[in-house]
Amino acid sequence: MLTGALQFNTSFFWHELLRPSSGFLGGLGRTVYISVIAQVIAVIIGLAVALARRSTLRILRSVAGLYVWVLRGTPLLVQLVIVYDGLAATDIYRFRDMTLLGISILASVQAAIVTLALNESAYMSEIIRAGLAAVDVGQNEAALSIGMTPAQSMRHVVVPQAIRFVIPPLGNDFNAMMKSTSVLSVIGVPEMFLITQEISSSTFHTFEIFLDAALYYLALTTIWTFIQAWLEAKVDRSWGIVRTKRSLLSSVRERFQDPRTLGLSRRA
Amino acid sequence: MTSSDSRGTRMEGGGATLIVQATEVRKSFGTQEVLKGVSLEVTRGEVVVLIGPSGSGKTTFLRCINHFEKPNSGVVQVNGHLIGSKLDRNGRRVDASAREIAKQRAEIGFVFQHFNLFPNRTALENVMLGPVKVQKMSKDKARTLAIDQLTKVGLSNKIDTYPAQLSGGQKQRVAIARSLAMSPALMLFDEPTSALDPEVIGEVLTVIRDLANDGMTMIVVSHEIGFAREVADRVAMFDDGQIVEIGTPRQVFDNPTQARTKAFLSKVL
Ligand SMILES: Nc1ncnc2c1ncn2[C@@H]1O[C@H](COP(=O)(O)OP(=O)(O)OP(=O)(O)O)[C@@H](O)[C@H]1O
Ligand SMILES: [Mg+2]
């Protein structure tokens, strides 16, 4: 057993990679759905915050500014512990396991989704704000000139165009989000990292199992890279911008020269 | 809103209907006064061309007419409506709401120097958007209307084309069709051809000329003197935030009375 821990166990590595345990798959699944749900909520809150920051009401602008300042200025890890343990310890709010549409959701998973969504919404609001600002002011004026209200112009003209500017940085953030789910282990969310740790401490095959985990994270972010490329092409097509058809190989090569694929992110 | 059915204001004594009545419009940006009391009346079917040196306030004046800019003082009435204002119960002038201002703007077409087409929509969708979202017209009806308007500007073959694939002249014609689809009582043009290559200026001017012949009321900022001579009923010369001379094209172009008009014309002619 001791010698097994010192040298690379190839068969263990391949076995866990190709036929992962149901525990590991459960962790992988949680990593994915927590990221997706948190990102979707973050986009919605982020849009609201971005619009609030452009509001003519000063109080709304200030509150939104404060929100972004606080959430971007504190570490995700600290936010997690405050939301999950801090709120419970002070009896402000205690997350409890619950069942939603027949699916049971752990208390720690709920806290994780809430915290990741709030944290990411601050970054999304900045991305969306920049996206809205990138739409030429003439677009808003054209919408107003045909009798739209400012709200209609925002909805039918400005926001749809901002999407094109928002998708690339959003994709970058989602890539970071999937990887930052690994910090959820501190509040006991049984996602991929925590499960990997458990397998590691029960088998002592630390290197093998973490290498497997790394490959699974890499697979997730790579799949996302392709989905993002597809989304970007789809939006371009809806603007009448036709990209020349490329071979799969050349598009893969291009993707890998893209810094996003390397997972360069703002989260340390 | 003021009585929305009254189509313009009757001119005293005359038979013509006033579509635009701007009175003593003043506008400042910071400490710089850009409009120093501009008054202009335009009757239905009339075409007024605005000329004048850069920075004289032509664009700002147009933008005051559809309330893209709020004048510091003065009154703008279009088609019988006090632009940007309404009368409260006691007959006092108060600011109109965003929704009311939008309603007023729907009656005023605005054609921009740089077209401002919606790049994520085809020519047809650009033209349909106003009728569908603002007038709540059914999509079928709006499509028929939009095809009509695009045909009128000679683009029936570009219906499904995106702006990125249109030439400048074609873009501007789609933009004109987009405004016309709202059946405006007034069309404002801010240098509609100055961003265009020389060879396509003609096709846009032809569309504007056709509109004039159809009796559309228009205010056009343009340095195309030949076009102004032919289409304008009156020409107004702007300088330093004021209309310094106004009259028929013959009067203004051939017998200008103001030194500033003469100086300006000697540069553009
Ligand atoms: N939003 C603004 N903020 C500050 N100054 C402005 C603004 N819009 C216009 N101005 C200034 O007002 C003056 C008049 O500008 P305007 O665009 O009305 O002139 P113009 O006659 O249309 O000129 P051009 O022929 O160059 O289009 C200029 O000095 C301009 O710099
Ligand atoms: Mg101008």
Side-chain angles (χ1 to χ4, degrees):
Chain A
M1 205 58 206
L2 194 65
T3 47
L6 291 174
Q7 65 196 54
F8 194 85
N9 185 325
T10 314
S11 76
F12 180 86
F13 169 80
W14 284 112
H15 187 266
E16 287 297 313
L17 185 68
L18 302 175
R19 310 195 58 183
S21 61
S22 63
F24 187 89
L25 283 179
L28 175 70
R30 259 174 229 113
T31 289
V32 172
Y33 85 73
I34 290 173
S35 307
V36 171
I37 295 173
Q39 188 69 48
V40 169
I41 298 172
V43 170
I44 295 164
I45 300 176
L47 177 61
V49 174
L51 292 177
R53 294 196 80 173
R54 289 169 62 112
S55 166
T56 49
L57 292 177
R58 200 192 162 135
I59 177 79
L60 218 52
R61 284 202 306 273
S62 310
V63 170
L66 192 71
Y67 178 88
V68 173
W69 177 61
V70 169
L71 282 170
R72 290 210 311 177
T74 52
L76 176 61
L77 202 51
V78 173
Q79 293 168 4
L80 259 181
V81 177
I82 289 175
V83 168
Y84 188 58
D85 301 316
L87 293 185
T90 49
D91 269 332
I92 296 172
Y93 185 78
R94 194 179 296 273
F95 286 93
R96 288 174 208 287
D97 296 354
M98 64 173 196
T99 346
L100 196 73
L101 306 165
I103 306 160
S104 67
I105 305 171
L106 295 172
S108 59
V109 171
Q110 297 164 39
I113 290 175
V114 168
T115 313
L116 281 175
L118 291 179
N119 178 275
E120 174 60 17
S121 72
Y123 293 93
M124 276 316 301
S125 79
E126 290 292 283
I127 288 172
I128 293 172
R129 196 161 74 120
L132 293 173
V135 177
D136 184 66
V137 288
Q139 292 294 308
N140 180 47
E141 289 191 347
L144 297 181
S145 82
I146 52 173
M148 286 196 187
T149 61
Q152 283 178 314
S153 164
M154 187 53 79
R155 181 165 158 219
H156 300 301
V157 172
V158 179
V159 168
Q161 291 183 42
I163 288 173
R164 182 152 180 262
F165 305 113
V166 164
I167 288 181
L170 181 153
N172 191 24
D173 265 25
F174 184 62
N175 177 309
M177 164 85 87
M178 285 193 288
K179 291 176 299 187
S180 60
T181 52
S182 56
V183 309
L184 300 177
S185 57
V186 296
I187 59 165
V189 176
E191 43 62 58
M192 191 152 56
F193 183 80
L194 186 66
I195 303 275
T196 307
Q197 243 177 354
E198 284 170 5
I199 297 175
S200 160
S201 53
S202 64
T203 63
F204 298 106
H205 293 309
T206 305
F207 190 35
E208 296 85 339
I209 192 66
F210 272 99
L211 204 54
D212 285 333
L215 289 172
Y216 273 102
Y217 279 115
L218 190 58
L220 288 182
T221 52
T222 305
I223 291 168
W224 170 246
T225 301
F226 284 108
I227 295 176
Q228 186 186 338
W230 173 78
L231 273 175
E232 285 172 17
K234 192 174 151 76
V235 171
D236 277 359
R237 270 198 306 279
S238 78
W239 283 52
I241 300 164
V242 206
R243 297 197 198 168
T244 47
K245 282 241 185 298
R246 294 161 308 179
S247 71
L248 184 64
L249 192 69
S250 74
S251 72
V252 168
R253 196 181 306 124
E254 196 168 301
R255 275 285 124 186
F256 277 89
Q257 282 156 358
D258 187 331
R260 282 187 301 243
T261 316
L262 305 176
L264 299 177
S265 81
R266 34 149 241 274
R267 286 196 189 88
Chain B
M1 294 199 109
T2 52
S3 53
S4 56
D5 290 330
S6 77
R7 287 254 146 201
T9 327
R10 282 304 214 181
M11 250 198 340
E12 290 161 42
T17 306
L18 272 187
I19 295 295
V20 180
Q21 188 170 27
T23 316
E24 281 298 308
V25 174
R26 287 176 181 274
K27 176 69 189 176
S28 302
F29 291 111
T31 55
Q32 186 196 6
E33 193 171 41
V34 172
L35 294 179
K36 301 175 177 172
V38 177
S39 299
L40 179 69
E41 293 187 342
V42 184
T43 58
R44 178 181 292 163
E46 195 178 17
V47 179
V48 177
V49 170
L50 308 184
I51 60 170
S54 180
S56 57
K58 307 177 296 292
T59 297
T60 306
F61 181 62
L62 273 199
R63 291 170 62 85
C64 284
I65 293 177
N66 79 339
H67 211 64
F68 276 164
E69 305 289 353
K70 187 178 158 63
N72 297 91
S73 70
V75 183
V76 176
Q77 273 187 281
V78 175
N79 210 19
H81 304 305
L82 273 170
I83 296 299
S85 311
K86 60 180 172 182
L87 300 177
D88 69 3
R89 280 197 201 105
N90 308 320
R92 267 194 304 252
R93 219 176 114 195
V94 293
D95 284 352
S97 68
R99 184 179 290 268
E100 288 158 342
I101 291 171
K103 232 177 191 163
Q104 296 176 337
R105 284 203 191 106
E107 294 192 349
I108 307 171
F110 200 109
V111 175
F112 304 86
Q113 184 174 354
H114 296 286
F115 332 125
N116 297 349
L117 287 183
F118 307 129
N120 53 336
R121 296 176 192 276
T122 62
L124 185 74
E125 290 165 347
N126 264 275
V127 181
M128 281 173 66
L129 194 67
V132 170
K133 299 298 179 194
V134 176
Q135 297 175 332
K136 313 291 178 202
M137 192 183 280
S138 75
K139 284 212 166 156
D140 283 340
K141 252 180 108 179
R143 181 173 293 111
T144 312
L145 170 71
I147 292 172
D148 276 359
Q149 293 299 346
L150 286 168
T151 307
K152 214 180 246 174
V153 298
L155 290 173
S156 55
N157 58 336
K158 296 288 181 190
I159 281 169
D160 294 319
T161 308
Y162 283 90
Q165 268 101 49
L166 293 172
S167 73
Q170 291 167 336
K171 281 184 198 157
Q172 194 60 295
R173 286 186 281 154
V174 173
I176 293 171
R178 176 175 68 181
S179 289
L180 291 177
M182 298 298 292
S183 324
L186 168 71
M187 287 283 286
L188 306 174
F189 293 82
D190 189 9
E191 302 199 36
T193 60
S194 60
L196 298 179
D197 293 334
E199 64 269 24
V200 297
I201 288 176
E203 67 192 46
V204 172
L205 293 181
T206 301
V207 168
I208 300 175
R209 193 180 294 117
D210 289 348
L211 273 177
N213 292 337
D214 285 351
M216 177 60 77
T217 312
M218 300 191 275
I219 303 178
V220 186
V221 177
S222 178
H223 296 310
E224 299 289 332
I225 302 300
F227 165 79
R229 203 182 267 285
E230 180 192 350
V231 173
D233 295 299
R234 281 186 298 157
V235 174
M237 165 73 194
F238 267 71
D239 192 44
D240 194 23
Q242 286 174 310
I243 294 180
V244 294
E245 183 159 10
I246 185 164
T248 64
R250 273 172 177 247
Q251 286 166 345
V252 175
F253 292 140
D254 300 336
N255 296 300
T257 58
Q258 299 293 314
R260 286 187 281 186
T261 314
K262 286 176 195 162
F264 175 74
L265 289 175
S266 71
K267 274 181 215 150
V268 294
L269 282 178

